[in-house]
Amino acid sequence: MGHLDNQIPTAELQALDAAHHLHPFTDGDALNAKGARVITRANGVMLTDNDGVEILDAMAGLWCVNIGYGRPELARVAANQMEQLPYYNTFFQTTHPPVVELSKRLADLVPGDLNHVFYSGSGSEANDTNIRLARHYWAAKDKPTKKTIISRKNAYHGSTMGGASLGGMSAMHAVGGLPIPDITHIAQPYWYGEGGDMDRDEFGLVCAKALEEEIARLGEDNVAAFIAEPVQGAGGVIVPPATYWPEIQRICDAHEILLIADEVICGFGRTGNWFGMQTFNIRPDIITIAKGLSSGYMPIGASVVSGEVAQVINGGGDFTHGYTYSGHPVACAVALENLRILDEEKIVDTVASTTAPYLKEKWQQLADHPLVGEARVCGMMGAIELSPDKAKRAKFSKDPGKAGTICRDFCVENKLVMRAVGDAMIISPPLVISRKEIDMLINRTTASLDMTLSVLKEASLI
Ligand code: PXG
């Protein structure tokens, strides 16, 4: 591996990065003024930067490196597949063994009768596929007016025109004139931030009933689908109240609309089951997958649809949709190897039986910290809400997002990658994180919270 070692000094890389690289979701000038962190290698749950500093990655990259870094099996599979068949398309009446094998594997793995797979290169593209799939489905059933897709405020479904339109983030809609037509958004089940005086269960029901109200407002004949993440990830690890999903499922069953579960984050073990739909007992018609499908080792996403949806699509003539890299052989082969490891090493089982309960116990103790208004966790994802007055679930009204940014910067100083979403701190570590590493995560989080608290006091923000 010596030949891969980077020889370029950090400052030089940072200068070149600033000169030629536009970063996603980044204030370019602000980043370039300080220089990007250069990550050169990683193993297990640890990243190593260009100066040899080891950092605990409590985000699994971007919620994706479920099996952890540094698995040589995936590299070998990729190299072998590249030698044998690096690329061929699946457009023109052709297929290849890795895409066939992965489709069969997913059909067996995903619950219910979700047994047909349409591939993409990412979660965003898969959600774009879902928009066209859902509308084509209803057109093929002679119901072409059923076009509107209902989503939720503060949802994240990707960054393409379709994905960002399905998403409910107003800052994203503001860039590029979104959403595209026939997509609407209802309230999110964010009890901590928006539940007011209601108890959790009552609030969960109110949020779910908003779907029925929206269907009534639009007219059922105009609604194609409802899309939602089982647990909102990028929105701040928002775990819905227990009453939410059963009512959503009832509403979807009672009305003629498709349910799309976006499992891009929740899928492949994140919530303690293979899929979020199992954790919340939902029966979607379509799911979106990406990220943990390959543990991020190769870009790949997909829409997995029910036998009924597949039958209608297959019978509906040409579905004029696809990507050059739909069913890319190397990505499919790597995904298969990733699924083999997740399965044979019982990684999801270990999360459910051992490490997630341990994380939950430790994470919830953070709620005792004076700065923490709530600590919530679902499987291997969690959030803590920073609050100036925890008894009242108060927000930082003076300078929203500042406390989160301060805390995130202290985390980095303490060699911990944790994300800030506004004034909530979120984690989604690799599923292979050990108890010892969870202790390290908790210790570094506590240290960062202490440092944040004292800075906030000095700045009279608390
Ligand atoms: N759906 C969900 C639920 C996601 O979380 C996507 C779709 C889009 O996937 P791609 O592969 O196109 O990125 C995502 C992606 C963050 C962050 O900062 C989250 C995502 C991506 C980038 C950043 O939390 N989620």
Side-chain angles (χ1 to χ4, degrees), residues 25 59 62-63 121-125 127 156-159 229 233-235 262-265 288 290-291 419 421 426:
F25 280 90
M59 283 307 299
L62 276 178
W63 322 76
S122 67
S124 301
E125 290 169 44
N127 278 328
Y156 190 85
H157 296 296
S159 201
E229 304 150 81
D262 186 335
E263 295 265 9
V264 167
I265 284 177
T288 322
K291 295 191 190 277
R419 279 218 29 218
V421 175
I426 62 176

Side-chain angles (χ1 to χ4, degrees), residues 286-364:
I286 299 175
I287 65 169
T288 322
I289 56 175
K291 295 191 190 277
L293 169 58
S294 65
S295 283
Y297 280 59
M298 286 294 285
I300 182 169
S303 308
V304 188
V305 311
S306 69
E308 196 267 338
V309 169
Q311 197 183 359
V312 171
I313 296 293
N314 280 335
D318 240 346
F319 179 43
T320 52
H321 178 76
Y323 310 104
T324 300
Y325 300 131
S326 287
H328 190 286
V330 180
C332 288
V334 168
L336 272 166
E337 184 64 2
N338 172 61
L339 295 181
R340 185 191 68 73
I341 289 174
L342 277 173
D343 183 34
E344 286 182 10
E345 296 184 6
K346 303 205 179 315
I347 292 172
V348 182
D349 296 343
T350 304
V351 165
S353 66
T354 312
T355 41
Y358 187 70
L359 175 70
K360 185 173 185 176
E361 182 197 327
K362 297 281 163 181
W363 191 256
Q364 285 181 338

Side-chain angles (χ1 to χ4, degrees), residues 256-454:
E256 202 184 31
I257 66 167
L258 297 171
L259 173 57
I260 306 173
D262 186 335
E263 295 265 9
V264 167
I265 284 177
C266 292
F268 306 100
R270 180 60 56 198
T271 67
N273 288 296
W274 275 91
F275 295 95
M277 59 186 281
Q278 294 161 310
T279 302
F280 294 95
N281 198 18
I282 42 185
R283 288 173 278 102
D285 302 285
I286 299 175
I287 65 169
T288 322
I289 56 175
K291 295 191 190 277
L293 169 58
S294 65
S295 283
Y297 280 59
M298 286 294 285
I300 182 169
S303 308
V304 188
V305 311
S306 69
E308 196 267 338
V309 169
Q311 197 183 359
V312 171
I313 296 293
N314 280 335
D318 240 346
F319 179 43
T320 52
H321 178 76
Y323 310 104
T324 300
Y325 300 131
S326 287
H328 190 286
V330 180
C332 288
V334 168
L336 272 166
E337 184 64 2
N338 172 61
L339 295 181
R340 185 191 68 73
I341 289 174
L342 277 173
D343 183 34
E344 286 182 10
E345 296 184 6
K346 303 205 179 315
I347 292 172
V348 182
D349 296 343
T350 304
V351 165
S353 66
T354 312
T355 41
Y358 187 70
L359 175 70
K360 185 173 185 176
E361 182 197 327
K362 297 281 163 181
W363 191 256
Q364 285 181 338
Q365 287 168 6
L366 293 172
D368 296 336
H369 193 278
L371 198 53
V372 175
E374 182 182 72
R376 53 181 181 265
V377 66
C378 176
M380 272 295 166
M381 61 206 294
I384 43 180
E385 298 273 358
L386 307 186
S387 171
D389 184 351
K390 55 191 284 181
K392 292 192 179 133
R393 280 157 47 207
K395 299 184 175 75
F396 287 94
S397 45
K398 227 194 228 170
D399 201 348
K402 179 87 186 258
T405 307
I406 291 171
C407 187
R408 188 208 49 208
D409 290 346
F410 279 133
C411 287
V412 175
E413 210 176 300
N414 292 324
K415 298 179 196 163
L416 171 67
V417 177
M418 179 147 80
R419 279 218 29 218
V421 175
D423 291 314
M425 306 305 299
I426 62 176
I427 55 159
S428 167
L431 303 185
V432 294
I433 192 168
S434 66
R435 281 167 172 253
K436 221 171 112 210
E437 289 160 340
I438 290 172
D439 290 342
M440 192 194 283
L441 161 60
I442 299 291
N443 289 340
R444 292 181 185 186
T445 303
T446 307
S448 307
L449 286 170
D450 290 344
M451 291 159 86
T452 305
L453 181 60
S454 64

Side-chain angles (χ1 to χ4, degrees), residues 76-129:
R76 280 197 286 273
V77 161
N80 289 343
Q81 186 58 46
M82 278 195 194
E83 283 183 16
Q84 191 161 352
L85 181 72
Y87 177 77
Y88 200 69
N89 74 76
T90 50
F91 278 45
F92 303 123
Q93 308 197 352
T94 50
T95 193
H96 53 71
V99 79
V100 174
E101 212 183 317
L102 180 60
S103 304
K104 162 73 174 136
R105 181 82 182 85
L106 287 169
D108 290 343
L109 188 62
V110 181
D113 74 333
L114 294 162
N115 55 19
H116 285 68
V117 191
F118 192 103
Y119 291 95
S120 62
S122 67
S124 301
E125 290 169 44
N127 278 328
D128 277 34
T129 297

Side-chain angles (χ1 to χ4, degrees), residues 158-197:
S159 201
T160 49
M161 295 293 276
S165 294
L166 290 174
M169 297 189 171
S170 39
M172 288 180 73
H173 290 169
V175 177
L178 303 178
I180 57 171
D182 300 318
I183 291 176
T184 67
H185 301 84
I186 60 170
Q188 57 175 335
Y190 179 29
W191 176 79
Y192 178 87
E194 296 170 2
D197 294 336

